[in-house]
Amino acid sequence: MSTPDTFDEITSFMAPVCPWRAAWEESEQRLLDERPQGFHAEDIGRGAFERLHEVWRPAALDVLFYAYYEARKDHPEKLARFEAAQPLHAKASTLLDEAEALLSRGAPVTPEFVTVLVKLARTLIGGAR
């Protein structure tokens, strides 16, 4: 029978398992399989948080709060752009869902609809005209 010291010695080379990280990686892999065309980091985070047992959620929130704090401290301009773009991301997501629904039913997607979607996409990637 091994003692705690022996166990610690044997496992010392192993990185501790972080439930948040494991849930994040599982969620990301699921999205890669389900949506190879792409997804947002928020989708990964929501899926990961939902997968966590409620016991681990407070620690996961601590990690998220810390990451947010660090982002604000080290990258205020980038964070401001990200936050400002959230309504546009939501609108683009809604429009893409609508286009996908139309196309899956064989309904036509009007040129006006495509124009709105293209303008929105250009704005999001910084190439608005």
Side-chain angles (χ1 to χ4, degrees):
M1 181 173 198
S2 63
T3 66
D5 293 331
T6 305
F7 178 81
D8 291 343
E9 184 179 327
I10 292 170
T11 60
S12 66
F13 69 93
M14 298 172 65
V17 175
C18 172
W20 175 240
R21 184 175 188 169
W24 183 277
E25 290 172 1
E26 181 183 331
S27 178
E28 183 176 27
Q29 186 58 54
R30 182 183 55 80
L31 287 169
L32 284 168
D33 294 342
E34 291 176 3
R35 293 193 243 164
Q37 73 278 9
F39 48 85
H40 299 286
E42 297 92 336
D43 299 331
I44 302 169
R46 284 186 191 95
F49 197 78
E50 289 169 6
R51 282 181 163 63
L52 281 178
H53 188 280
E54 63 187 46
V55 170
W56 294 106
R57 288 183 178 180
L61 283 176
D62 289 345
V63 170
L64 292 173
F65 295 152
Y66 181 77
Y68 183 81
Y69 169 78
E70 286 296 316
R72 283 189 63 85
K73 184 177 78 167
D74 293 337
H75 305 287
E77 301 87 15
K78 191 174 184 179
L79 184 62
R81 284 193 307 272
F82 171 80
E83 289 175 343
Q86 290 312 295
L88 295 175
H89 281 279
K91 183 176 180 181
S93 181
T94 300
L95 289 173
L96 287 170
D97 290 343
E98 186 179 330
E100 186 175 34
L102 289 170
L103 292 170
S104 70
R105 293 191 319 258
V109 176
T110 67
E112 293 80 16
F113 183 89
V114 173
T115 300
V116 169
L117 194 53
V118 167
K119 285 182 179 180
L120 184 57
R122 286 190 190 281
T123 301
L124 285 170
I125 62 173
R129 292 184 195 166

